[in-house]
Amino acid sequence: MTMEETEADDEALVADIASRASGVRDRVARAAHRAGRDPSEVRLIAVTKTHPVATVRAALAAGLTDLGENRVDELRDKSEAVAARWHLVGQLQRNKVRDVVGRVALVHSVDRPALVDALSRRAAQLGVVQDVLLQVNVGEDPAKGGCRLADVPVLVSYAAAAPGLRVVGLMTVPPLPGPGTTSDEAARPHFRSLREARDRFRAEHPALEELSMGMSDDLEAAVEEGATMVRIGSALFGSRTEAAR
Ligand SMILES: *Cc1c(COP(=O)(O)O)cnc(C)c1O
């Protein structure tokens, strides 16, 4: 391709993402209004997993500011190439903590004390404070990460006491909807339980403000139930080629 063709491609990609982002923002705004909420309370996190760095750059050019990845290696490579507010939205292993702390605005997937310890130790080494969310497996789906709802009180207290970490909220990924149900309606009770958990613990832990919940197929229910962050991939960037992700 010539330089001119590459630039034209990039412009088309930016325009396409900008138009999809505006569609997603409309969906967020309509859901917020139905729930009597201000749409500006909902941050849009663009999940760029599996998409190339060119798409990441185009997303920023299209006005998206918060970007998410679900794998640490991909996050490391892309965040080295492109500066943005990065979020780790996928599972984190203790041996990868070093590649994450200080690099991301927010870790969404803290779900066990051993991970709290590892993150806290690394934050102390770097002299930084790392914001984190606790991931809760509200649906107790064996295919998903997250602690059980019943474990939240202990994990919140444990993480809140860990030096170098600031627990700013909760995150969940609902189970896939069963046949004959829409994603939105299947996910709603999980979103509601997460909000109720956040509300219960907020008296003791006032920093617990954020609710990271809602993806491309269920963002309406999430926003209606109180999401402060939605994590959107396919509605912004099209379907992914790797089926499992
Ligand atoms: C991939 C992913 C998303 C985005 O999913 P879409 O359905 O493509 O919007 C959100 N959250 C997590 C944890 C993900 O892995």
Side-chain angles (χ1 to χ4, degrees), residues 34-197:
R34 279 196 295 276
R37 303 184 60 209
D38 178 349
S40 71
E41 292 169 10
V42 186
R43 187 183 286 263
L44 176 56
I45 299 172
V47 180
T48 48
K49 66 187 183 194
T50 76
H51 295 287
V53 167
T55 302
V56 174
R57 291 192 211 285
L60 292 179
L64 294 160
T65 53
D66 284 71
L67 305 180
E69 285 289 331
N70 75 330
R71 291 189 181 170
V72 173
D73 297 346
E74 209 170 327
L75 170 77
R76 189 196 50 221
D77 293 348
K78 287 181 185 168
S79 64
E80 271 166 15
V82 183
R85 275 178 57 86
W86 284 99
H87 297 249
L88 177 68
V89 301
Q91 289 300 100
L92 176 57
Q93 304 303 322
R94 262 192 301 170
N95 62 359
K96 302 252 170 108
V97 155
R98 133 181 318 270
D99 285 329
V100 172
V101 175
R103 187 188 289 278
V104 297
L106 188 59
V107 178
H108 290 233
S109 51
V110 176
D111 60 1
R112 56 198 189 277
L115 195 52
V116 169
D117 292 342
L119 288 163
S120 172
R121 217 175 301 124
R122 181 62 179 157
Q125 263 175 14
L126 296 178
V128 299
V129 173
Q130 178 66 62
D131 283 354
V132 302
L133 302 178
L134 303 185
Q135 182 173 353
V136 187
N137 191 357
V138 180
E140 305 205 0
D141 175 352
K144 299 272 161 23
C147 69
R148 295 178 315 150
L149 259 179
D151 297 331
V152 173
V154 169
L155 193 60
V156 169
S157 301
Y158 190 76
L165 296 193
R166 203 164 68 105
V167 188
V168 297
L170 304 178
M171 176 271 212
T172 197
V173 183
L176 290 174
T181 47
T182 65
S183 306
D184 222 40
E185 288 320 307
R188 184 181 298 274
H190 303 284
F191 295 153
R192 185 168 299 166
S193 299
L194 196 74
R195 170 174 39 93
E196 289 168 352

